[in-house]
Structure formats: structure tokens, C-alpha cells
């Protein structure tokens, strides 16, 4: 007899990001708009993060959005600011994930920017990446990660979600 066991209770942590065709997430750290991303990217982001129920982002990303995202627990990393309707934290990624798991959450969307993406990837807690690629190039700017490291990914899905946008889904090899 074969018995299959799965960890059904394991929380899924995913990075969700919009990229230019040359792999950038912003023109620079001062960029305060996502006007370059497609309507389809914004729709996918809203749908997927609402499914997760929790969004985690850095202070700059939160300030770019400018308000808490509706129907989601909003968590922002900041050392010195508080925001109405947002939990502010300085916890290490593993500690934050454990806390959210104890509170009953099953998924967490890591929403940027590159410092936060890097912090969670380096901590080894990221299970998936959802990357939407839009048909625009910046030539130079901010990359998805801001440090060098090696992580193996498994390509799960490539889908054209709009006339100028593709969705890439990766699993992070553990």
C-alpha cells in the first residue's frame, strides 16, 4: 500500500511583479507611477492578490500605490512611518510568515520593491513568481532583485494575457 502525504497546511508565498521587456520593475527609485504597465497586468495583480488575501510591500511601493489595497491585509515595511489601514512591520521574512500562518492565512503576495523581493528570496520562503512582461523598455532602471544570488526556477506557465502582455509563472526549486 502506498500512502501519499502532502503538506496541505503549508502557506504559499509568491512574488508578483510587472517587468519591462528588458527586465526592469521601474525607471528609478523615485518612480511614482505604474502607468507603463498594461490593463491586463493590473487586472491579474488585483485578482491574484485578492485570492491571496495578504500583500507585503516596502515603504516606497506602498507610497507609489498611495492607499491600502481593498479586500486584502496590507503590510508595509517601514522603520519610521505609520499608515492608516496598513500593518507596518520590520520583522524578518520567516518571522512575518510564521505570524501570518498562525493568523490563518494560506497565501502571501510579495509586491515589491526590489529590496523586499530580495529579502524574501534570500530568506528562502518564496514558492512562486508571477511575472507579467509588458512591451516597453526603459534601457536602465531598477531590477527585480538588488543583490546577486542563484536560485533555480521551474517554468510552469507562459500565457499571453493581453495584446502586449505575457504572464510567466515559475516555481522556486527548493
Amino acid at each position: 500500500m502506498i500512502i501519499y502525504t502532502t503538506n496541505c497546511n503549508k502557506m504559499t508565498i509568491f512574488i508578483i511583479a510587472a517587468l519591462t521587456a528588458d527586465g526592469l520593475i521601474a525607471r528609478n527609485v523615485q518612480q511614482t507611477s505604474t502607468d507603463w504597465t498594461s490593463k491586463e497586468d493590473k487586472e491579474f495583480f488585483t485578482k491574484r492578490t485578492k485570492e491571496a488575501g495578504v500583500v507585503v510591500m516596502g515603504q516606497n511601493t506602498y507610497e507609489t500605490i498611495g492607499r491600502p489595497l481593498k479586500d486584502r491585509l496590507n503590510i508595509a515595511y517601514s522603520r519610521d512611518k505609520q499608515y492608516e489601514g496598513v500593518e507596518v512591520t520590520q520583522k524578518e521574512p520567516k518571522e512575518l510568515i510564521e505570524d501570518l500562518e498562525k493568523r490563518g492565512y494560506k497565501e502571501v503576495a510579495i509586491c515589491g520593491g526590489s529590496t523586499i523581493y530580495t529579502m524574501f528570496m534570500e530568506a528562502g520562503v518564496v514558492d512562486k513568481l508571477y511575472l507579467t512582461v509588458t512591451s516597453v523598455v526603459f534601457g536602465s532602471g531598477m531590477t527585480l532583485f538588488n543583490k546577486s544570488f542563484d536560485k533555480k526556477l521551474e517554468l510552469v506557465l507562459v500565457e499571453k494575457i493581453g495584446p502586449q502582455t505575457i504572464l510567466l509563472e515559475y516555481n522556486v526549486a527548493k
Side-chain angles (χ1 to χ4, degrees):
M1 179 164 110
I2 299 173
I3 299 174
Y4 293 98
T5 60
T6 59
N7 185 359
C8 296
N9 297 326
K10 186 193 180 305
M11 181 177 271
T12 300
I13 314 304
F14 62 86
I15 284 175
I16 188 165
L19 300 174
T20 63
D22 54 348
L24 302 173
I25 62 169
R27 287 178 183 90
N28 56 52
V29 78
Q30 290 84 26
Q31 184 169 341
T32 59
S33 169
T34 58
D35 62 356
W36 60 272
T37 65
S38 68
K39 171 180 69 101
E40 294 83 8
D41 163 70
K42 290 173 178 70
E43 289 169 354
F44 177 75
F45 177 89
T46 299
K47 177 181 176 284
R48 191 65 191 90
T49 59
K50 280 185 176 181
E51 289 170 358
V54 181
V55 291
V56 176
M57 64 196 87
Q59 180 176 313
N60 289 343
T61 300
Y62 177 75
E63 289 178 0
T64 296
I65 296 168
R67 60 180 166 65
L69 298 174
K70 190 176 171 192
D71 301 324
R72 288 152 277 194
L73 171 62
N74 288 249
I75 300 174
Y77 275 82
S78 178
R79 295 192 199 305
D80 57 359
K81 294 201 177 175
Q82 295 294 316
Y83 305 103
E84 189 174 329
V86 176
E87 285 186 22
V88 175
T89 190
Q90 294 177 29
K91 291 179 180 175
E92 291 298 318
K94 287 181 182 178
E95 183 184 359
L96 177 62
I97 298 308
E98 287 171 9
D99 175 51
L100 291 168
E101 204 163 23
K102 285 177 189 165
R103 291 158 67 181
Y105 291 100
K106 301 291 184 211
E107 288 191 302
V108 178
I110 309 303
C111 302
S114 61
T115 299
I116 302 303
Y117 292 140
T118 302
M119 186 169 75
F120 277 79
M121 193 63 115
E122 282 187 323
V125 297
V126 177
D127 301 298
K128 289 186 157 296
L129 278 77
Y130 292 103
L131 307 175
T132 53
V133 182
T134 300
S135 298
V136 64
V137 292
F138 292 161
S140 67
M142 291 181 63
T143 57
L144 187 62
F145 301 106
N146 63 10
K147 286 185 184 174
S148 179
F149 54 80
D150 290 316
K151 293 281 186 184
K152 298 263 188 246
L153 303 176
E154 172 196 350
L155 183 61
V156 176
L157 174 77
V158 178
E159 181 182 345
K160 187 172 182 181
I161 61 171
Q164 300 298 318
T165 308
I166 61 168
L167 169 64
L168 303 171
E169 179 183 341
Y170 292 96
N171 286 337
V172 178
K174 298 283 180 167

